Amino acid sequence: MNRLRFPARRLACLLLLACAGAAQAQLRLPSLNLPQALGGAGLDGVVRPAERLLERTVPGDLRGLRLDTVADLLRRHGAVLEADPRGAPIVRREILANSPSPEALRAAAGLGFRVLREERYEELGESLVVLRVPAGLDTNDALARLRALDPAGSYDFNHLYTGSAALPLSGGAAGPAAGGKPDGSGAVGLVDSGVDVAHPVFEDAAIESFGCDGRRHPAPHGTAVAALLVGRSERFSGAAPGTRLFAADIYCDSPTGGSADKIAAALGWMARSRVGVVNISLVGPPNATLERVVGAMVARGHLLVAAVGNDGPAAPPLYPASYPGVIGVSGVDRQGRPLPEAGRGPQVMFAAPGSQMVSAALGTPPYRQVRGTSFAAPLVAGLLAKALPRPDRAGAARAIAALAAQAVHDKDTVSNAIGLGVIGAGLRTDPGRFR
């Protein structure tokens, strides 16, 4: 295997993970999903033409898939959602204040802002206050006033984040699934929509749940991603079967699900639970709250693995995959070629299988083909979780270096399409197993 040359961004990531103590630096709710998966594994006459059509699509045009979803989301839930100046969906009339001082909160109250809720993430040294915008002031002007009032403070909209998948779920793979016995250890985290814990693929899985006031809202995206992390049955295996899954549902079938404050709360739970590796197959705009919490997690020695998205190679970076220290994952097909819809850039650290593969699905049939960077990320996260069961700065750097040493690549360079290389090719569950 060729030896890789690490560019500055990726080398800085490893140094940050090793030295951060000193530096302290796709879903049940249809409107919140990017289209999630490809068609049925047993329906080759339908699936293969769809794949060929996607391969012919101009990559830059694929951004319209997510933008159409966002536009529909705003149109159907205008009472609780609105757009920020860039068109990204936000929770209507809510502003996030990150670790605000008491003086700043008093000043905000003097302007008519009201505290809706407050969270403290003790392990991360962060707190979050959600403010209600006063009547007669629009959300954009409200944010500008808070930033002018407290220039040293950190304030932002409460952005929404969507699943990072490619095409709609349709059809499936027929056949029963039998449970296997766990053989792993440690833990891995998932920030996504709800998981169908009753699915046969999780028969012997240990799953801890967070969110939705203890109620379960199984969703296609979260179930498929969770299966790729820890699931196992007679004909299917995720990357880390037997590993305890800490699954945070941040959607709960709510129009405001997937918001930045809910992601922050989920990561705070992961920090309290000391989960070393956390998968986030979600994408959206940069956000001050998300950036601070992600940075605190990385500094503490967690590894956050995130899909880079499917807006096409010419699209601007999506988050949280593009934050420093986050392991950005792209997708490749069966031949190891980058998916034409996958994002590209320095945020890509690894690539993994993201098409022509099967994962768990809701209902009957219980398995369906999936496509998109959403489904590549959990394969990387599962492999890393085996090496980092608990947060550890030096251990995180070693885990990345060990995975990089296994990566398959063509040249002695780092690619904006596949990063340090392709890993986990053997983890793809081929649809042929279900015919």
Side-chain angles (χ1 to χ4, degrees), residues 29 32 80-81 91-92 160 250-251 254-259 261-262:
L29 184 62
L32 289 175
V80 292
L81 303 177
V91 180
R92 182 174 288 280
L160 267 63
I250 61 168
Y251 290 92
S254 167
T256 58
S259 55
D261 67 316
K262 292 181 173 61

Side-chain angles (χ1 to χ4, degrees), residues 6-364:
F6 284 74
R9 194 263 188 188
R10 294 173 177 88
L11 179 59
C13 174
L14 294 181
L15 292 175
L16 174 64
L17 290 166
C19 306
Q24 195 62 8
Q26 315 169 337
L27 308 161
R28 175 102 177 205
L29 184 62
S31 64
L32 289 175
N33 277 314
L34 283 187
Q36 294 173 23
L38 205 54
L43 305 177
D44 288 350
V46 175
V47 171
R48 287 177 180 169
E51 288 180 341
R52 289 196 297 268
L53 177 62
L54 185 61
E55 294 297 329
R56 292 197 301 267
T57 303
V58 178
D61 293 344
L62 292 167
R63 185 167 181 260
L65 289 173
R66 188 170 67 89
L67 295 182
D68 287 348
T69 299
V70 166
D72 182 64
L73 172 65
L74 292 168
R75 182 171 54 252
R76 292 195 295 116
H77 299 290
V80 292
L81 303 177
E82 58 181 310
D84 76 359
R86 295 171 296 186
I90 60 175
V91 180
R92 182 174 288 280
R93 307 190 70 74
E94 286 189 3
I95 299 293
L96 304 181
N98 305 294
S99 299
S101 67
E103 294 77 15
L105 287 179
R106 285 194 294 270
L111 292 178
F113 287 88
R114 179 167 56 90
V115 173
L116 292 178
R117 53 193 178 275
E118 183 173 0
E119 298 277 352
R120 295 194 63 83
Y121 314 121
E122 300 290 349
E123 293 78 6
L124 302 178
E126 291 285 338
S127 66
L128 178 64
V129 177
V130 182
L131 298 172
R132 181 72 172 178
V133 174
L137 194 62
D138 70 33
T139 312
N140 189 46
D141 289 341
L143 178 60
R145 290 198 184 188
L146 286 173
R147 288 173 171 172
L149 182 73
D150 181 20
S154 175
Y155 304 90
D156 211 337
F157 300 112
N158 196 2
H159 286 106
L160 267 63
Y161 292 77
T162 58
S164 177
L167 291 177
L169 285 166
S170 61
K181 296 296 182 183
D183 59 4
S185 60
V188 65
L190 173 66
V191 178
D192 211 293
S193 54
V195 176
D196 181 8
V197 299
H199 193 288
V201 81
F202 303 117
E203 181 176 340
D204 292 306
I207 301 178
E208 304 283 343
S209 299
F210 173 85
C212 310
D213 295 323
R215 294 185 294 272
R216 295 194 183 278
H217 298 271
H221 193 271
T223 299
V225 175
L228 291 166
L229 279 170
V230 303
R232 184 163 67 181
S233 67
E234 183 181 2
R235 288 179 289 178
F236 177 88
S237 179
T243 301
R244 182 178 296 273
L245 178 66
F246 286 73
D249 183 353
I250 61 168
Y251 290 92
C252 307
D253 283 345
S254 167
T256 58
S259 55
D261 67 316
K262 292 181 173 61
I263 298 177
L267 292 177
W269 177 62
M270 301 292 177
R272 290 194 301 274
S273 303
R274 294 186 54 76
V275 179
V277 178
V278 181
N279 184 86
I280 312 174
S281 288
L282 309 172
V283 297
N287 178 274
T289 296
L290 190 57
E291 182 175 13
R292 286 174 69 107
V293 174
V294 164
M297 291 284 285
V298 171
R300 193 170 181 258
H302 298 265
L303 283 179
L304 302 186
V305 180
V308 299
N310 305 290
D311 282 13
L318 294 171
Y319 296 83
S322 298
Y323 285 126
V326 175
I327 312 303
V329 180
S330 187
V332 294
D333 64 14
R334 185 184 288 131
Q335 287 73 42
R337 300 171 301 191
L339 300 182
E341 69 267 27
R344 299 194 184 193
Q347 71 272 26
V348 179
M349 187 172 288
F350 292 106
S355 74
Q356 298 150 313
M357 57 193 281
V358 169
S359 191
L362 301 185
T364 303

